[in-house]
């Protein structure tokens, strides 16, 4: 079998990947900050991770995936304080919404969804280790900082120019740019608004709360061990978030934190990064309101390689809608067919080989989709020939199952749509025959049957057309 290859941000190269134990991929994916609805940009990243996990399982590995839920951070506290709420009151409804939304997009469950607020003791223990070995220090404000000049590898992941590092300068907020790489807060001394919102805990350094970066290190190592196989996230997390995760984890354990790092590119809308602060966000709730199936957004995302920017335009989803409809119609046709031709079996085998090769080569979903559509064209042609090769049909059904098990693009209404279409076509055929035999009573009875199921038919010189509803 071919190798499984991934682009590793650490080396900036596509490399062979395999789990350290050869069996189970220990995967950590940074999850949402649950203070507002995750937008379709966030879900582009979560879908890339869903594709990754499904591809790995197809390859034959087990996956142990951890996705954290950030339920304490600067933004959550700011919102809770403004609303006079606790952080839990802010985060609970958005945690529920996140799970609803991801199910709508058919994103498989991770094995664990740890919450930051439920892992404070693990975070404190990690900071204690760093203070004890001298890579962290307590500032005069009572916060604990990581000394980036004590960690020789600082900046390796983001290829930070070392000259930019400001020794001794400190930054307390969770997000900052490469231009001011500074000692960052592991533990933040409590402010009145932290206490007021329930975001403060006892620690050896007094009341305080964890920094965002620390949350991920502590939870990743708790569930996956000191060296993960793979750590994934959106490209904006490379600096400072992942750089800081590496620094504080490796300074504590002396071991590599993750063997491979993968980052997905941004979703844009009309050329700008989809982001809350730009005000151009669309959500899963919007998709549902427009009756757009989760499969449609999956198709749109998978139709671009995860390392390329993807622009959501007005007509993007309409194109994906047509594509998934075609897949759904094919799924139904394949399910009800009674036989195929030998060439159908050959087409299936070609499709499976092309699909696997594309997917295992750095998750090339656009090529995997191309393999699926080639298969659909070839198979439709063979099914038109109405052969009686049952084994070939079974092979085609199996291969479609393999592909669908990863891409998951059959729209939920495809079954009913296709079933209805088959029934209408059959009834229209019977009506035509009745009319040809001048049995108008039978023809009218059939029209009534169609109308009763909400089907409108129109006769013209060119023939009969119909529509549902
Ligand atoms: P957050 O809730 O802001 O921590 O983001 C959750 C995930 O979404 C992270 O992996 C981000 O990198 C990712 N993300 C944020 N905005 C976008 C975007 N416009 N396109 C793709 N991924 C994004
Ligand atoms: Zn993280």
């Amino acid at each position: 079998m071919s190798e499984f290859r991934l682009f590793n941000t650490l080396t900036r190269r596509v490399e062979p990947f395999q789990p350290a134990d050869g069996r189970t991929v220990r995967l950590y994916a940074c999850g949402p900050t649950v203070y507002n609805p995750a937008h379709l940009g966030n879900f582009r990243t979560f879908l890339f991770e869903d594709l990754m996990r499904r591809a790995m399982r197809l390859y034959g590995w087990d996956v142990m995936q951890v996705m954290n839920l950030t339920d304490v951070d600067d933004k959550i506290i700011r919102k809770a304080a403004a609303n006079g709420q606790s952080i839990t009151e802010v985060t609970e409804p958005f945690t529920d919404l996140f799970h609803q939304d991801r199910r709508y997009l058919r994103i498989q469950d991770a094995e664990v969804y740890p919450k930051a607020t439920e892992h404070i003791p693990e975070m404190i223990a990690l900071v204690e280790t760093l203070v004890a070995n001298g890579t962290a220090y307590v500032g005069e404000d009572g916060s604990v900082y990581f000394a980036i000049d004590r960690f020789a590898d600082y900046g390796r992941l983001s290829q930070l120019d070392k000259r930019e590092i400001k020794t001794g300068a400190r930054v307390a907020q969770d997000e900052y740019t490469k231009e001011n790489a500074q000692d960052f807060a592991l533990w933040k001394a409590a402010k009145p608004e932290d206490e007021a919102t329930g975001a403060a805990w006892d620690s050896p350094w007094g009341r305080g709360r964890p920094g965002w970066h620390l949350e991920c290190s502590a939870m990743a190592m708790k569930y996956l061990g000191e060296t993960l196989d793979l750590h994934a996230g959106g490209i904006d997390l490379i600096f400072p978030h992942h750089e800081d995760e590496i620094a504080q984890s490796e300074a504590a354990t002396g071991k590599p934190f993750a063997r491979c790092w993968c980052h997905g590119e941004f979703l844009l809308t009309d050329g700008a990064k989809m982001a809350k602060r730009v005000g151009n966000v669309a959500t899963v709730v919007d998709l549902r309101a427009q009756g757009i199936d989760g499969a449609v957004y999956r198709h749109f995302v998978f139709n671009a390689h995860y390392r390329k920017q993807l622009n959501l335009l007005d007509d993007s989803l309409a194109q994906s809608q047509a594509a998934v409809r075609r897949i759904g119609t094919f799924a139904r046709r394949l399910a009800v067919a009674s036989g195929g031709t030998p060439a159908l079996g050959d087409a299936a085998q070609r499709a499976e080989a092309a699909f696997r090769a594309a997917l295992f080569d750095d998750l090339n979903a656009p090529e995997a989709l191309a393999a699926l559509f080639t298969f659909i064209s070839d198979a439709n042609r063979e099914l038109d020939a109405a052969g009686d090769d049952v084994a070939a049909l079974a092979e085609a059904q199996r291969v479609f199952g393999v592909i669908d098990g990863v891409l998951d693009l059959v729209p939920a209404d495809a079954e009913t749509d296709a079933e209805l279409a088959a029934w209408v076509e059959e009834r229209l055929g019977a009506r035509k025959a009745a009319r040809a035999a001048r049995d108008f009573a039978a023809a009218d009875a059939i029209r009534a049957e169609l109308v009763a199921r909400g089907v409108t038919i129109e006769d013209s010189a060119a023939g009969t057309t119909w529509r549902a509803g």
Side-chain angles (χ1 to χ4, degrees), residues 30-33 39 41-42 45-46 233-234 236-237 265-267 273-274:
C30 292
T33 307
H39 57 67
N42 302 132
T45 295
F46 303 142
D236 55 333
L237 299 188
E265 255 293 355
F266 283 145
L267 176 76
K273 178 193 171 190
M274 183 175 283

Side-chain angles (χ1 to χ4, degrees), residues 246-258:
I246 292 174
Q248 64 207 359
S249 305
E250 298 193 358
T253 67
K255 296 179 187 150
F257 177 47

Side-chain angles (χ1 to χ4, degrees), residues 230-446:
L230 184 57
H231 195 131
I235 197 157
D236 55 333
L237 299 188
I238 295 176
F239 189 89
H241 187 53
H242 290 162
E243 197 69 75
D244 291 354
E245 281 190 44
I246 292 174
Q248 64 207 359
S249 305
E250 298 193 358
T253 67
K255 296 179 187 150
F257 177 47
R259 297 169 54 242
C260 182
W261 288 82
C262 285
H263 293 96
E265 255 293 355
F266 283 145
L267 176 76
L268 315 179
T269 336
D270 295 326
K273 178 193 171 190
M274 183 175 283
K276 187 83 184 164
R277 85 194 123 65
V278 183
N280 61 350
V281 301
T283 62
V284 173
V285 170
D286 298 333
L287 295 184
R288 296 178 94 129
Q290 294 167 55
I292 297 172
D293 195 288
V296 174
Y297 190 62
R298 288 181 75 86
H299 176 273
F300 170 68
V301 166
F302 295 159
N303 210 16
H305 192 271
Y306 76 90
R307 285 193 288 115
K308 294 222 166 81
Q309 291 189 338
L310 174 60
N311 206 355
L312 181 64
L313 301 168
D314 282 347
D315 60 349
S316 305
L317 295 184
Q319 288 173 19
S320 289
Q321 194 125 34
V324 302
R325 207 170 282 144
R326 181 141 188 251
I327 296 170
T329 306
F330 176 69
R332 187 65 200 157
R333 185 172 192 199
L334 202 57
V336 301
S338 53
T341 57
L344 176 65
D346 299 339
Q349 282 169 3
R350 277 199 308 276
E352 182 174 20
F355 180 77
R356 286 178 184 265
L359 213 54
F360 302 157
D361 183 14
D362 195 27
L363 304 174
N364 195 333
E367 271 195 28
L369 269 170
L372 169 60
F373 280 101
T374 302
F375 178 44
I376 292 177
S377 308
D378 291 350
N380 272 331
R381 198 178 52 240
E382 295 309 319
L383 290 170
D384 288 343
D388 57 4
D389 188 334
V390 184
L393 177 64
E395 182 65 355
Q397 289 166 337
R398 181 190 66 78
V399 168
F400 184 74
V402 164
I403 294 176
D404 189 49
V406 176
L407 299 179
D408 207 345
L409 295 177
V410 177
D413 61 2
E415 195 136 315
T416 46
D417 266 6
E419 254 167 4
L420 180 70
W423 177 79
V424 173
E425 294 296 345
E426 188 278 323
R427 289 284 78 195
L428 287 179
R431 178 167 168 268
K432 196 173 166 193
R435 286 165 59 145
R438 307 195 68 79
D439 184 351
F440 297 112
D444 286 348
I446 293 171

Side-chain angles (χ1 to χ4, degrees), residues 202-223:
D202 289 327
S203 83
W205 317 283
R207 301 277 292 168
R209 64 178 174 98
W212 172 36
H213 318 303
L214 182 74
E215 300 177 5
C216 281
S217 286
M219 293 188 282
M221 292 197 283
K222 169 166 181 174
Y223 294 99

Side-chain angles (χ1 to χ4, degrees), residues 45-117:
T45 295
F46 303 142
L47 279 166
F48 135 68
E49 293 153 354
D50 183 58
L51 179 73
M52 177 178 263
R53 128 184 214 110
R54 291 182 190 230
M56 287 171 166
R57 293 173 82 179
L58 176 65
Y59 195 79
W61 293 320
D62 290 331
V63 175
M64 166 68 183
Q65 182 188 355
V66 177
M67 177 173 278
N68 67 296
L69 301 171
T70 299
D71 63 349
V72 52
D73 91 328
D74 298 354
K75 291 177 289 203
I76 296 170
I77 293 165
R78 220 175 294 136
K79 182 163 182 177
N83 293 353
Q85 290 177 306
S86 68
I87 52 169
T88 317
E89 283 168 330
V90 169
T91 58
E92 256 176 4
F94 291 110
T95 301
D96 291 346
L97 181 64
F98 166 68
H99 288 299
Q100 269 176 41
D101 287 351
R102 81 170 170 77
R103 287 195 187 105
Y104 191 73
L105 297 179
R106 311 176 184 189
I107 294 174
Q108 287 185 342
D109 293 357
E111 279 59 34
V112 196
Y113 288 100
K115 293 181 180 173
T117 53

